[in-house]
Amino acid sequence: MFENFQAMTVTETGDRLLVELTRPEVRNAIDDQMVEELHAVCAYLEREPKILIVTGCQINGKGIFVSGADISQLRERRREDALRGINNTIFHRISQLPSPVIAAVDGYALGGGLELALAADFRIATPGAKFGQPEANLGIIAAAGGLWRLKALVGEAIAKEILLAGRVLDGNQAHDVHLVTELASPGELLDTAHALADRIAALDPLAVRISKQVMAMPAAAHPAVDNIAQAILFESDAKFDRMQAFLDRKKK
């Protein structure tokens, strides 16, 4: 179903989907076509939950994640477009996917690129990655999640440096402030992302899915929602099988 995509290539294996963004001529700028194709990926993963890895491509031997929104399209958007939340909607949808999402970042992750990475559950980056939100320089705000997801991850002080003063973090700095989960060299970036996906896949998929959903709920929902979620898992076959396997291993 992904054969006719123009802005990305999609590779599916048993427990995961790898999405490689492929608009090198514009440094993977997010346009309407890319948004449409990301929605198609989300629709599939909502029906068939799998781990999602999102990464960029190589341009003249250098990595690029997403340089931002396509300014030629963004320049023409008006009030009604903003109220539709074109990028906001797709990033929120990605963040709400049933299974975990991993962003593997090399090169620029600016503007919408950083907001796409922020929508993931995990961010793996190279030391040479560049993270920033330059929207204020263009007369707009980081309205697709950057204003609040960034603050939640790195704290208000660092978020203000990025959002209000144009600071750009490299991979090492992003790792220091917990924006990035793990660092990897460019040649090992995808292997590191797949290794993380392997660790996730080794767990019970239903327990992972429910944990992700419950974590996203407001504080007022706890602890009642935790009890309800646990009640569901206490009746699952995987719970009995995995616990019995654990007990059997202890006997050896």
Side-chain angles (χ1 to χ4, degrees):
M1 64 176 293
F2 308 117
E3 294 83 3
N4 297 322
F5 277 15
Q6 300 174 25
M8 63 191 68
T9 59
V10 180
T11 305
E12 182 176 10
T13 57
D15 56 22
R16 72 199 61 170
L17 220 63
L18 171 64
V19 168
E20 298 177 275
L21 306 175
T22 54
R23 298 190 73 220
E25 68 281 1
V26 289
R27 298 186 177 184
N28 281 344
I30 299 172
D31 68 344
D32 292 343
Q33 181 70 34
M34 186 180 287
V35 169
E36 180 181 335
E37 292 175 11
L38 285 171
H39 274 297
V41 168
C42 287
Y44 177 73
L45 292 176
E46 288 160 355
R47 297 192 306 271
E48 302 286 340
K50 294 175 183 281
I51 300 162
L52 173 62
I53 301 173
V54 181
T55 194
C57 61
Q58 293 279 321
I59 302 174
N60 298 323
K62 294 184 178 181
I64 185 75
F65 184 67
V66 173
S67 60
D70 190 315
I71 302 301
S72 64
Q73 291 186 1
L74 195 61
R75 165 67 175 77
E76 302 307 314
R77 290 180 184 172
R78 305 301 294 265
R79 176 181 58 201
E80 293 306 314
D81 297 306
L83 292 174
R84 283 169 54 210
I86 297 169
N87 288 357
N88 209 351
T89 299
I90 184 57
F91 297 157
H92 179 69
R93 192 174 186 182
I94 290 169
S95 75
Q96 296 299 303
L97 285 173
S99 295
V101 179
I102 302 167
V105 181
D106 189 20
Y108 289 112
L110 302 176
L114 176 48
E115 290 175 310
L116 172 57
L118 289 169
D121 299 289
F122 303 95
R123 283 154 296 283
I124 298 172
T126 66
K130 301 293 183 184
F131 298 91
Q133 299 282 180
E135 283 86 351
N137 189 48
L138 297 171
I140 57 175
I141 63 172
L147 291 174
W148 57 278
R149 285 196 179 103
L150 186 60
K151 184 173 72 170
L153 276 172
V154 305
E156 187 169 340
I158 300 296
K160 283 182 175 179
E161 286 190 55
I162 295 168
L163 292 159
L164 308 183
R167 182 180 177 187
V168 175
L169 304 181
D170 64 25
N172 288 310
Q173 293 167 328
H175 185 260
D176 289 342
V177 299
H178 306 295
L179 174 58
V180 165
T181 311
E182 192 172 354
L183 290 172
S185 68
E188 296 177 343
L189 180 63
L190 271 184
D191 287 343
T192 303
H194 280 296
L196 174 56
D198 289 341
R199 297 202 301 272
I200 295 168
L203 307 178
D204 174 41
L206 182 60
V208 170
R209 287 175 58 187
I210 290 181
S211 294
K212 178 176 175 177
Q213 291 174 333
V214 172
M215 284 178 68
M217 291 184 179
H222 305 283
V225 71
D226 305 62
N227 295 339
I228 295 169
Q230 191 75 296
I232 294 169
L233 290 167
F234 270 13
E235 299 298 324
S236 72
D237 290 340
K239 175 250 189 179
F240 291 99
D241 293 343
R242 285 172 175 263
M243 289 191 178
Q244 188 60 52
F246 175 84
L247 293 172
D248 291 343
R249 287 194 299 271
K250 287 191 67 176
K251 292 177 183 177
K252 294 180 180 178

